[in-house]
């Protein structure tokens, strides 16, 4: 029918007149939920009437709704009537939240109906004046809550409750977002629908009845389960509004009664849903019983981490709405609500659920929506979250006793996609060994260059003529499959010959660095249990307790042995692909290095994949500059010679001189460089951002490749840059990603290589969805046999494969997640470690090993080692030690002492002596509370001459310290 605009406007004005709160200005807002209010004398409200066509409607509404209110100067309401045609109108009524809440919709609509109906009949509304106004409530609320200074007041008791309930609550729930969190929360949002079937709704209601809980509690517990699974956190808070209208007299009032409650859940993946639900009931009831402290006040007293980037105390909301507003009817008119998308999300995510029932009270299903902050999430991600939530609800209905960590939040197609992404291409690589691959090249290209040093060049034939006689000597000494030879040699042709000879003899080589402390080498020797030790000079094993023959290769005359390739019949036993090719020792968290035994089949797969993936061939030269004690060197030692290329040797110690390395690359036209990112940084710095033109591929591995560095390397020449990832326990590298200009923010570690399986699993070994952090597990042919002589450590890390019966998986301790690249391909992104293993300038270090070395010293009772990062000075190792009671520890003496046990790169850069280690509430060491170290000379001597001053100031600048003294 026809709407009388004048009548509607009069009715709106009547409603505003009836509710004092709607014509109140707030000259002072104290920000804690109590307002000192001052009724404004504005009985008439301007009502704006605009005419637009259908297409203009959204614009007219958006414009009107988006405007702000200055509540200190104007009334907190405004109304507009939009005329679409003579017979179609939209009433837009905007109330600032200070004067109205969701539950005010009921009284607002009721009063509007009464007023409109009366005015249509030419009368005034016949309602009785309201018995109380919002101001009465505000005064009453203050009186009831009492004074915070009084410990027995309601507000004091409630604050006490929250102090306990929310103590140490995590500042942020880290959900897998599509984009990093901006520094300032934008509140721009979107919304996707939630629709839960009647069947599930019935099940949830039944579950609530059986467990003496409410539908709200069931939905809350389920939501906490999903949030925990998505964030990997076991401590999850959500915020929920509570109506705050306990008294009947408040039912007819418009006003801001709603409060926000913080609901905290500890989610334990092993607990049955019913267990979590029982605890949710307790904590929700306790929260509801302490619901009167205004949220704003709570934030002030609890003083959590405040940030413009996120909401305090919680970032995810849960609202339960009762849709029962009653019918809204006006005489002579047909009415319906206009859907309006405000484009706002108050929180990162806000689940809004409404339940509906038929006239017999039978569940009709749950409706509602999920609003999401569009700065963080895409709509598709929000939809996926709703789908997962639906699966959680279905799972708890069908089995309320299910362990919450076992609920499947993936659907069939996701599961299949993750499985496919995790399976490297299956390629049949010949079942051969390293000496087989080498012999093939010796036979095919004897005259080609195999080895280049500063002063010599060896062809394949010449190199082979040195390798095979030594191999035969080793066989005659008892070396063969399943035995080991320690190589205690600095980088040299002799080392290269010795390594190949050990392999040809069928043994596994065990590299040790002669520069490392004798104590550590002795331990490695004891564990490796070798047949013999090969050294360049006797000095290489000075002070080492050996127990087996030390053979000094320079003193050895092997000229009586044949230089033809060694064949299997000559060996002490047949060499099989499953035999170990090398044992590389790596830092061990329990205080001693552990030896990773890698079989030929694993290295061969890696080398053959690499040869194919990068097209390595006869024209390639590879730089050898990594110590043999790191598995990155396996590429450098072996990849050229299995593809017919040349290996260019940097002299011992030369790896520390970027200019020298770049010279080698230039002079010998090195095409392929393997490097840890920190080395790349040093090379770029030495060359002013350019790399020699011969270089056509750079393979980065070993630590996180920062996107900025990656782009600078790409720009440094006409070269391909690849980010590779892999632990020593899986033969150098297992995933690869070709870096492109698209990798501007982060560089993925990529996709699995040939015959490699990767999986990202949660703590209960369940695959995590795309975007969710999990631990990386590896399977396939590249796995090591385990830790030599340490069945216990091996069993801990090499666990039974979930899928392939009889197969094993290696648990990396690396935290990663699947990300979908631009082309839609799923790739892995590296996030960090789950433990105290670190990478420092490419060196793999277990902080626990350093701590054990410190604790083994006299007078040291406790020790903690951390990596201290400084933007300018870089990463440094800092040890915090507590002396035995009544004893003293001197930092310099302690450092010198541990330097006798640890390799250089593991010796702390600073030692801080503390009386006690800071502990957190759980009694564990609180690493964040450790004091920052001070790197300072004991006695400062000022530089005196101008030259000294300049040198000192350059050092100070590079080190990022205020001053540097003469010493
Ligand atoms: P290592 O056994 O010395 O090769 O060290 C293996 C560890 O280095 C892995 O477990 C990772 O923590 C780290 N790592 C190796 N490659 C990468 C990479 N590309 N990005 C980030 N971390 C890496
Ligand atoms: Mg490695």
């Amino acid at each position: 029918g026809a709407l009388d605009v004048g009548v509607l406007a009069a009715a709106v004005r009547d409603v505003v007149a009836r509710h004092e709160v709607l014509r109140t200005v707030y000259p002072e807002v104290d920000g804690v939920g109590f307002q000192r209010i001052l009724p404004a004398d504005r009985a008439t409200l301007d009502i704006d009437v605009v005419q637009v066509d259908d297409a203009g409607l959204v614009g007219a509404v958006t414009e009107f709704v988006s405007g702000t209110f200055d509540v200190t100067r104007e009334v907190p309401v405004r109304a507009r009537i939009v005329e679409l045609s003579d017979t179609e109108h939209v009433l837009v009524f905007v109330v600032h939240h200070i004067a109205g809440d969701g539950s005010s919709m009921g009284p607002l609509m009721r009063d509007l109906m009464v007023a409109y109906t009366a005015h249509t009949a030419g009368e005034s509304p016949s309602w009785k004046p309201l018995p109380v106004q919002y101001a009465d409530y505000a005064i009453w609320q203050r009186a009831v809550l009492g004074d915070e200074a009084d410990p027995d007041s309601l507000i004091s008791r409630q604050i006490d409750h929250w102090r306990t309930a929310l103590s140490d609550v995590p500042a942020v729930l880290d959900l897998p977002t599509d984009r990093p969190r901006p520094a300032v929360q934008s509140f721009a949002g979107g919304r996707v629908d939630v629709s839960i079937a009647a069947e599930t709704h019935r099940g949830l209601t039944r579950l609530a009845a059986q467990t003496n809980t409410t539908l709200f509690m069931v939905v809350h517990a389920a939501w906490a389960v999903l949030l925990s699974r998505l964030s990997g956190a076991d401590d999850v808070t959500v915020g929920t509004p509570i109506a705050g209208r306990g008294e009947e007299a408040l039912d007819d009032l418009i006003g801001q009664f709603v409060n926000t409650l913080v609901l905290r859940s500890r989610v334990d993946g092993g607990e049955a849903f019913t267990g979590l639900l029982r605890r949710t009931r307790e904590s929700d009831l306790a929260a509801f019983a302490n619901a009167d402290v205004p949220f704003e006040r709570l934030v002030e007293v609890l003083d959590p981490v405040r940030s413009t980037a996120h909401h305090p105390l919680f970032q995810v909301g849960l609202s339960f709405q009762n849709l029962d507003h009653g019918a809204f009817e006006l005489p002579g008119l047909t009415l319906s609500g206009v859907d309006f998308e405000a484009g706002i999300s108050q929180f990162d995510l806000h689940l809004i659920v409404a339940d509906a029932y038929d006239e017999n009270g039978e569940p009709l299903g749950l409706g509602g929506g999920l609003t999401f902050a569009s700065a963080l999430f895409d709509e598709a991600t929000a939809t996926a979250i709703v789908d997962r939530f639906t699966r959680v609800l279905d799972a708890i209905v069908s089995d309320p006793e299910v362990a919450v960590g076992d609920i499947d939040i993936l659907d069939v197609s996701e599961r299949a996609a993750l499985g496919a992404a995790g399976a490297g291409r299956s390629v049949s690589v010949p079942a051969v060994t390293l000496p087989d691959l080498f012999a093939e090249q010796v036979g095919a290209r004897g005259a080609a260059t195999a080895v280049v040093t500063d002063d010599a060049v060896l062809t394949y034939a010449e190199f082979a003529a040195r390798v095979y006689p030594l191999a035969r000597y080793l066989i005659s000494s008892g070396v063969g499959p399943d035995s080991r030879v320690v190589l205690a040699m600095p980088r040299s042709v002799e080392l290269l010959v010795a390594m190949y000879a050990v392999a040809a003899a069928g043994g596994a080589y065990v590299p040790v660095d002669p520069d490392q402390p004798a104590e550590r080498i002795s331990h490695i020797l004891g564990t490796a249990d070798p047949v013999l030790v090969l050294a360049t000079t006797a000095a290489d094993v000075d002070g080492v307790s050996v127990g087996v023959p030390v053979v000094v290769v320079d003193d050895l005359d092997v000229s009586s042995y044949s230089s033809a390739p060694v064949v299997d019949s000559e060996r002490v036993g047949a060499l099989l692909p499953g035999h170990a090719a090398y044992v590389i020792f790596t830092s061990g968290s329990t205080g001693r290095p552990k030896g990773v035994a890698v079989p030929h089949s694993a290295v061969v797969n890696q080398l053959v994949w690499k040869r194919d993936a990068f097209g390595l061939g006869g024209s390639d030269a590879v730089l050898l500059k990594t110590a043999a004690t790191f598995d990155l060197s396996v590429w450098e030692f072996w990849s050229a010679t299995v593809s017919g290329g040349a290996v260019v040797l940097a002299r011992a110690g030369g790896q520390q001189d970027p200019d020298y390395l770049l010279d080698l690359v230039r002079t010998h036209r090195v095409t392929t460089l393997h490097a840890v990112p920190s080395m790349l940084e040093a090379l770029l710095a030495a060359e002013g951002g350019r790399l020699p033109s011969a270089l056509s591929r750079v393979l980065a591995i070993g630590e996180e490749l920062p996107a900025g560095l990656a782009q600078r390397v790409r720009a440094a020449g006409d070269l391909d840059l690849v980010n590779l990832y892999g632990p020593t326990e899986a033969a150098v590298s297992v995933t690869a990603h070709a870096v492109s200009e698209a990798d501007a923010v982060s560089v993925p570690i990529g996709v699995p290589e040939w015959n490699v399986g990767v999986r990202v699993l949660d703590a209960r070994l369940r695959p995590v969805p795309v975007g969710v952090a999990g631990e990386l597990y590896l399977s396939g042919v590249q796995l090591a046999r385990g830790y030599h002589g340490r069945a216990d450590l091996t069993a801990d890390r090499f666990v039974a494969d979930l899928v392939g019966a009889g197969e094993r998986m290696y648990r990396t301790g690396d935290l990663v997640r699947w990300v979908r690249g631009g082309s839609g391909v799923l790739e892995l992104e590296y996030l960090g470690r789950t433990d105290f293993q670190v990478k420092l300038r490419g060196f793999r270090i277990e902080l626990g090993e350093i701590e054990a070395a410190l604790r083994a010293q006299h007078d040291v009772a406790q020790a903690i080692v951390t990596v201290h990062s400084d933007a300018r000075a870089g990463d440094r190792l800092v040890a915090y030690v507590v002396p035995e009671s009544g004893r003293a520890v001197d930092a310099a003496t302690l450092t010198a002492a541990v330097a006798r046990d640890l390799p250089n790169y593991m010796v702390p850069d600073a030692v801080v002596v503390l009386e006690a280690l800071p502990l957190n509430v759980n009694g564990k060491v609180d690493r964040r509370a450790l004091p920052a170290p001070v790197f300072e000379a004991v006695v400062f001597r000022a530089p005196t001459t101008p030259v000294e001053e300049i040198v000192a100031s350059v050092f100070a600048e590079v080190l990022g310290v205020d001053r540097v003294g003469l010493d």
Side-chain angles (χ1 to χ4, degrees):
L3 172 84
D4 186 329
V5 170
V7 168
L8 180 59
V12 169
R13 277 191 209 100
D14 275 347
V15 175
V16 172
R18 176 169 164 79
H19 295 272
E20 225 173 53
V21 70
L22 297 183
R23 52 191 169 82
T24 296
V25 291
Y26 301 81
E28 287 175 63
V29 179
D30 68 10
V32 294
F34 309 115
Q35 289 88 24
R36 281 180 213 103
I37 56 175
L38 192 83
D41 230 2
R42 280 176 60 182
T44 58
L45 175 74
D46 291 336
I47 296 180
D48 176 56
V49 182
V50 297
Q51 280 148 351
V52 297
D53 56 12
D54 280 359
L57 175 61
V58 171
V61 175
T62 309
E63 177 222 25
F64 195 62
V65 168
S66 311
T68 57
F69 289 95
D70 179 353
V71 296
T72 65
R73 289 168 1 103
E74 56 189 332
V75 290
V77 290
R78 54 177 174 259
R80 163 177 278 187
I81 296 169
V82 182
E83 269 187 12
L84 292 169
S85 69
D86 286 349
T87 56
E88 213 179 348
H89 297 79
V90 175
L91 169 65
V92 190
F93 191 80
V94 188
V95 185
H96 188 282
H97 215 324
I98 202 168
D101 56 16
S103 304
S104 301
M105 283 298 278
L108 173 66
M109 293 208 275
R110 280 199 302 276
D111 288 350
L112 196 58
M113 286 192 315
V114 170
Y116 185 87
T117 309
H119 282 287
T120 312
E123 296 163 8
S124 297
S126 59
W127 52 42
K128 284 204 214 84
L130 289 165
V132 290
Q133 289 283 349
Y134 187 78
D136 304 313
Y137 162 79
I139 293 162
W140 170 84
Q141 183 195 31
R142 257 221 164 148
V144 168
L145 283 175
D147 191 344
E148 275 180 51
D150 168 10
D152 291 327
S153 68
L154 186 62
I155 193 161
S156 295
R157 281 182 281 129
Q158 294 202 357
I159 285 175
D160 283 348
H161 164 82
W162 292 108
R163 266 192 222 286
T164 315
L166 299 179
S167 90
D168 278 331
V169 71
V172 182
L173 184 68
D174 255 323
L175 291 168
T177 59
D178 295 304
R179 284 167 290 281
R181 182 182 293 277
V184 178
Q185 191 184 351
S186 82
F187 299 103
R191 181 181 181 281
V192 292
D193 282 339
V194 171
S195 167
I196 308 294
E199 170 81 27
T200 309
H201 184 188
R202 256 195 305 280
L204 295 170
T205 321
R206 204 178 324 118
L207 181 55
Q210 284 162 357
T211 51
N212 195 18
T213 57
T214 61
L215 185 60
F216 175 86
M217 291 167 184
V218 176
V219 170
H220 171 213
W223 185 225
V225 166
L226 180 62
L227 294 171
S228 157
R229 292 287 292 279
L230 293 178
S231 61
D234 56 7
D235 193 345
V236 173
T237 53
V238 301
T240 195
I242 179 159
R245 295 172 179 254
E247 300 291 317
E248 206 183 321
L250 305 178
D251 287 356
D252 291 334
L253 276 185
I254 291 172
Q256 148 62 14
F257 298 92
V258 71
N259 194 15
T260 302
L261 288 186
V262 186
L263 305 179
R264 182 181 198 179
S265 310
R266 314 293 178 119
V267 183
D268 164 5
E271 188 179 27
F273 182 75
T274 48
L276 173 64
L277 184 54
R278 204 171 308 120
R279 290 188 298 110
T280 303
R281 176 179 188 274
E282 299 302 305
S283 57
D284 283 2
L285 287 175
F288 296 139
N290 290 279
D292 303 303
V293 194
F295 177 75
E296 295 78 4
R297 182 65 198 142
L298 196 59
V299 170
E300 280 194 349
V301 293
L302 295 183
D303 194 24
V305 176
R306 298 307 301 271
S307 162
T308 54
H310 60 78
H311 194 275
L313 294 176
F314 66 90
Q315 294 83 40
V316 175
L318 170 64
S319 297
F320 233 66
Q321 281 182 349
N322 199 321
L323 279 186
D324 194 19
H325 288 312
F328 185 44
E329 289 166 342
L330 297 179
L333 302 177
T334 314
L335 290 173
S336 65
V338 178
D339 273 335
F340 176 69
E341 170 60 73
I344 292 173
S345 186
Q346 222 184 333
F347 311 126
D348 291 357
L349 292 175
H350 189 175
L351 177 65
I352 300 159
V353 181
D355 49 347
Y357 302 86
D358 70 9
E359 60 276 14
N360 302 318
E362 278 299 309
L364 291 172
L366 303 177
L370 179 72
T371 69
F372 57 94
S374 33
L376 303 178
F377 298 102
D378 291 332
E379 184 169 319
T381 307
T383 304
I385 292 173
V386 171
D387 291 345
R388 296 190 204 297
F389 184 58
T390 310
R391 279 195 282 283
V392 172
L393 294 180
D394 286 337
I396 59 170
V397 164
S398 79
D399 177 12
E401 297 302 325
V402 63
V404 297
D406 289 344
I407 294 172
D408 212 336
I409 60 171
L410 297 171
D411 72 13
V412 178
S413 66
E414 272 183 304
R415 198 168 261 286
L418 291 177
R425 218 171 100 199
S426 165
V427 175
S428 106
V429 169
V432 296
T433 61
L434 285 180
D436 293 334
L437 291 179
F438 177 55
E440 208 177 293
Q441 298 300 329
V442 171
R445 31 177 67 232
T449 301
V451 180
V452 180
T453 70
D454 282 332
D455 40 33
V457 172
L458 296 181
T459 63
Y460 274 85
E462 289 163 344
F463 182 39
R466 293 187 58 182
V467 169
Y468 290 125
L470 180 58
R472 290 196 167 81
Y473 165 81
L474 292 172
I475 292 173
S476 72
S477 311
V479 174
D482 266 334
S483 66
R484 286 151 307 282
V485 174
V486 164
L487 305 177
M489 307 165 92
R491 188 171 44 249
S492 57
V493 175
E494 286 70 29
L495 170 61
L496 200 58
V497 168
M499 185 181 288
Y500 276 64
V502 172
Y509 71 86
V510 185
V512 301
D513 181 347
D515 289 338
Q516 284 192 4
E519 161 72 17
R520 201 167 199 261
I521 298 181
S522 302
H523 167 77
I524 292 175
L525 251 63
T527 310
D529 184 24
V531 177
L532 51 83
V533 176
L534 287 176
T536 328
T537 67
D540 286 341
V541 286
D542 216 16
V544 174
S545 66
V546 181
V548 293
V550 176
V551 176
V552 175
V553 288
D554 276 354
D555 302 345
L556 206 60
D557 179 8
V558 292
S559 57
S560 60
Y561 291 102
S562 155
S563 57
V566 171
V567 294
D568 220 17
S569 57
E570 297 176 72
R571 297 187 179 117
V572 299
L575 175 60
L576 303 173
H579 281 124
Y582 57 80
V583 179
I584 284 184
F585 277 77
T586 178
S587 181
S589 58
T590 50
R592 290 298 193 172
K594 53 191 191 228
V596 184
V598 178
H600 285 272
S601 47
V603 207
V604 166
N605 187 79
Q606 167 71 173
L607 293 172
V608 172
W609 165 79
K610 190 161 171 268
R611 184 171 70 189
D612 183 273
F614 301 109
L616 291 177
S619 55
D620 281 303
V622 171
L623 183 65
L624 170 53
K625 46 100 187 83
T626 303
T629 43
F630 301 109
D631 81 331
L632 167 54
S633 72
V634 172
W635 276 349
E636 299 182 347
F637 276 105
W638 295 94
S639 61
T641 46
V642 300
S643 46
V647 46
V648 177
L649 242 77
R651 62 167 145 50
Q655 72 277 8
Q656 282 161 3
D657 181 350
D659 290 318
Y660 166 71
L661 294 180
L662 290 164
D663 265 353
L664 282 181
V665 171
R666 233 183 324 263
T667 313
H668 303 295
R669 305 204 57 76
V670 168
T671 59
T672 309
L673 182 71
H674 308 114
V676 293
S678 21
M679 159 83 70
L680 289 174
E681 191 72 76
L683 293 177
L684 281 188
E687 195 78 349
R690 298 295 302 167
L691 288 172
S693 61
L695 211 50
S696 62
R697 54 187 85 85
V698 174
L699 311 192
I701 191 171
E703 61 192 3
E704 247 178 299
L705 176 60
L709 172 62
Q711 295 305 337
R712 279 184 286 125
V713 172
R714 284 185 67 239
D718 182 16
L719 51 83
D720 293 328
L721 172 64
V722 184
N723 186 25
L724 295 111
Y725 157 90
T728 306
E729 287 84 345
V732 196
S733 81
V734 285
T735 70
H737 168 86
V739 182
S740 76
E741 71 275 353
D743 305 316
V745 178
S746 66
V747 185
I749 55 171
V751 297
E753 298 166 5
W754 290 359
N755 305 316
V756 165
V758 300
R759 254 168 288 170
V760 187
L761 306 178
D762 65 18
R764 297 178 67 78
L765 301 184
R766 299 212 149 243
V768 299
V770 173
V772 175
E775 188 170 348
L776 180 62
Y777 285 75
L778 307 175
S779 57
V781 301
Q782 277 192 212
L783 292 203
R785 302 209 310 193
Y787 301 110
H788 181 76
R790 292 302 304 267
D792 54 339
L793 296 179
T794 304
D796 187 42
R797 288 310 226 175
F798 293 83
V799 297
D801 195 325
L802 299 169
V803 183
E807 304 280 310
R808 299 173 310 150
M809 319 190 277
Y810 170 65
R811 175 178 188 186
T812 63
D814 286 315
L815 206 58
V816 299
R817 62 174 183 172
W818 288 109
V819 291
R820 206 176 287 282
S823 52
V825 179
L826 286 177
E827 291 192 84
L828 294 173
E829 189 174 83
Y830 182 83
L831 300 173
R833 291 289 303 178
T834 62
D835 57 12
F836 295 116
Q837 179 181 306
V838 299
K839 277 285 172 118
L840 207 62
R841 292 178 287 279
F843 295 117
R844 171 168 161 181
I845 299 173
E846 290 286 357
L847 296 175
E849 185 176 349
I850 307 175
E851 290 164 1
L854 290 162
R855 276 196 299 267
Q857 305 300 322
H858 285 302
D859 301 338
V860 175
Q862 285 175 291
I864 290 286
V865 177
T866 64
V867 175
H868 184 80
S869 295
D870 181 295
R872 294 182 67 200
D875 293 341
R876 286 180 287 191
L877 284 172
V878 180
Y880 296 88
V881 297
V882 179
E884 299 278 6
S885 74
R887 301 299 188 132
V889 167
D890 173 59
T893 317
L894 186 60
T895 307
V898 293
R900 286 193 286 276
D901 296 338
L902 297 172
N904 260 335
Y905 59 85
M906 289 173 71
V907 176
D909 298 295
V911 173
V912 180
V913 181
L914 299 175
E915 270 169 34
L917 295 174
L919 302 180
N920 64 21
V921 284
N922 305 318
K924 293 197 183 144
V925 176
D926 183 356
R927 287 169 180 260
R928 281 171 312 174
L930 290 165
V934 181
F935 297 91
E936 230 180 346
V938 186
V939 182
F940 176 81
R941 287 203 300 145
T944 49
T945 71
V947 172
E948 286 171 2
E949 271 165 20
I950 290 168
V951 172
S953 73
V954 169
F955 269 85
E957 191 179 328
V958 171
L959 295 175
V961 298
D962 290 340
R963 57 178 199 178
V964 165
L966 256 192
D967 302 289

